[in-house]
Amino acid sequence: MDSLRTRFILSIPFVIFGFMLTRAPFMMPSVAPSKPWADGPLKLITTPQFETKKTDIFTSGATHMALLHNSIFRGYNSIYRQAPLVLDQDKADFVGYCLAWFKFVKSHHDDEEATLFTKIEELLKDKTIFEETHKEHESFLGGLAEFEKYLTGLKSPADFSGAELLRIMESFQQPFEHHFHNEIATITKFSDHPNAPKEGTPERDAAAATFKAWGKSTVTKAGVTDVVPFFLLNLDRTVEDGLWANWPPMPAPIKWGLINLAGAWHSGWWRFASCDAAGQPRELWAYRAADAKGKRAEESKA
C-alpha cells in the first residue's frame, strides 16, 4: 500500500506538467495573417539602432524600450481589431486578455516614473530631461483608467460591448501613440547630452548596467503568468530583418517556460495574441472564429 501511495504521489507532478502542456501556447494553431493584423491602427516604432546603426548606451536603451513599446502597441492593436468580433463564448477570455494589457501598460508607466527616470536624471545630473514625458503620461492616464474601470465593472463577460471598448480606446489613442513614439526619440537624444558618459568610462558601464537591470525586471515583476506571456506573445521576432529574433536575451529553455508553462495558467487569453509561441505573426483569433461561425451557419442552411 505504501509503495502504491508513493508511486501515486510521485506521478502527480508529471500529470500536472502534462496537463499544462495541453494548454501551452505552442499547442495553439498558427496561421499567417491574411486580414488586418496588429500593425495598426497604432503605428509600430522603428528601433533607433536599426535606423541609425549606432550602439551607444542611449541608442541601445531606446531601442530596447521601442521593442517593449511595440509589444504594447501590438497588444492594443490586437484588442482594437478583435473587440467588435468577439463571440459570446470567447468574451471572458478576451476580457482577461484586455486586463493583462492594462496591467502591462500601467506597470510599465509606474516603473518608469518610480525607477528608470530617476536613475537617468541622476546619471545626466539633469532634473529637466523628462518634463515633457511626465506631461505626456498624464495625457492618457485618464483614458487608461476608464479602460480598466469598464472591464472590471462588467457584471458578466456577456455584457461586454466591443463598440463601447473602442469608444474608450479611441478617447486616448492619439496621446498614447504620440507618447510611446516620442519617449523613444527623447531617450535617443540623451547621447548628445553634455553630461552623457563617455565610452570606456565607469560611468558608461554603470549606465549600461542600469538599463539592463531595469529592462530585465520591469516585465517580470509585473506578473509572470499574465504580463510576461502577454509581452512575449506580442513580440514579433521577424521584424527588422530578424535582428531581434533572440531578444530579450535569455536562455532558450527559460524563454520557452515563460511562454508555455507560465502561459498555460491563462491559456484561453493567448488565443487573441498577435504572435505565436515562436514569435511569428499569426491571424487574429477573432477573425478565424467569426469565419468559422459563418461557415457553420452556411452549412446548416445547405
Side-chain angles (χ1 to χ4, degrees):
M1 181 63 72
D2 288 342
S3 175
L4 193 63
R5 184 183 298 112
T6 299
R7 286 200 299 271
F8 173 75
I9 292 172
L10 290 175
S11 71
I12 291 175
F14 295 97
V15 172
I16 294 173
F17 182 74
F19 173 72
M20 291 179 71
L21 286 184
T22 66
R23 295 167 53 86
F26 84 91
M27 296 290 288
M28 297 178 183
S30 180
V31 178
S34 63
K35 294 181 173 65
W37 186 64
D39 48 359
L42 300 186
K43 182 182 178 183
L44 298 176
I45 304 164
T46 301
T47 67
Q49 197 167 320
F50 182 78
E51 194 167 38
T52 68
K53 311 309 177 190
K54 294 180 180 180
T55 57
D56 63 88
I57 56 169
F58 289 111
T59 299
S60 296
T63 291
H64 298 160
M65 184 74 80
L67 293 168
L68 191 150
H69 282 192
N70 278 339
S71 179
I72 289 174
F73 272 12
R74 291 189 197 94
Y76 178 103
N77 292 340
S78 64
I79 292 169
Y80 188 93
R81 298 286 194 201
Q82 296 180 92
L85 302 171
V86 176
L87 303 180
D88 287 345
Q89 64 263 31
D90 292 334
K91 285 183 175 180
D93 283 332
F94 188 69
V95 169
Y97 180 75
C98 293
L99 287 171
W101 178 83
F102 166 82
K103 187 179 178 185
F104 187 5
V105 177
K106 187 64 167 59
S107 173
H108 174 67
H109 160 269
D110 292 349
D111 203 27
E112 283 183 333
E113 293 280 357
T115 306
L116 183 65
F117 291 171
T118 300
K119 289 183 178 296
I120 296 177
E121 287 170 348
E122 291 172 353
L123 172 71
L124 297 179
K125 302 177 179 63
D126 188 344
K127 295 292 186 180
T128 69
I129 54 177
F130 287 114
E131 287 180 347
E132 188 63 30
T133 303
H134 292 311
K135 294 176 184 176
E136 290 172 4
H137 277 181
E138 294 301 319
S139 70
F140 65 81
L141 287 179
L144 194 66
E146 187 182 0
F147 179 93
E148 184 208 22
K149 182 179 180 181
Y150 170 68
L151 293 170
T152 56
L154 294 170
K155 293 181 179 179
S156 164
D159 296 329
F160 171 80
S161 165
E164 177 60 13
L165 191 68
L166 291 190
R167 182 196 67 77
I168 296 170
M169 294 174 76
E170 288 168 354
S171 74
F172 65 90
Q173 180 172 298
Q174 190 279 328
F176 184 79
E177 180 177 30
H178 170 75
H179 163 69
F180 273 66
H181 277 269
N182 200 47
E183 186 173 83
I184 303 307
T186 296
I187 295 173
T188 302
K189 290 175 184 176
F190 291 160
S191 59
D192 298 324
H193 193 282
N195 295 332
K198 306 298 182 185
E199 291 294 321
T201 64
E203 291 78 12
R204 185 270 177 204
D205 293 341
T210 294
F211 273 118
K212 184 176 181 180
W214 184 84
K216 187 175 181 180
S217 68
T218 188
V219 176
T220 53
K221 71 183 182 182
V224 173
T225 62
D226 48 11
V227 173
V228 170
F230 190 104
F231 163 59
L232 293 172
L233 291 167
N234 282 291
L235 198 61
D236 181 358
R237 304 186 195 285
T238 70
V239 297
E240 297 184 346
D241 301 329
L243 184 61
W244 313 111
N246 296 314
W247 190 88
M250 66 178 73
I254 292 178
K255 185 181 292 184
W256 190 93
L258 289 172
I259 293 171
N260 293 294
L261 298 183
W265 193 263
H266 297 296
S267 177
W269 297 4
W270 315 129
R271 287 176 294 170
F272 302 100
S274 63
C275 299
D276 62 20
Q280 301 291 311
R282 68 179 180 189
E283 189 94 284
L284 297 179
W285 169 261
Y287 290 122
R288 296 177 58 197
D291 287 347
K293 181 181 179 181
K295 185 176 180 180
R296 288 194 297 269
E298 289 296 323
E299 289 174 349
S300 66
K301 293 178 183 177

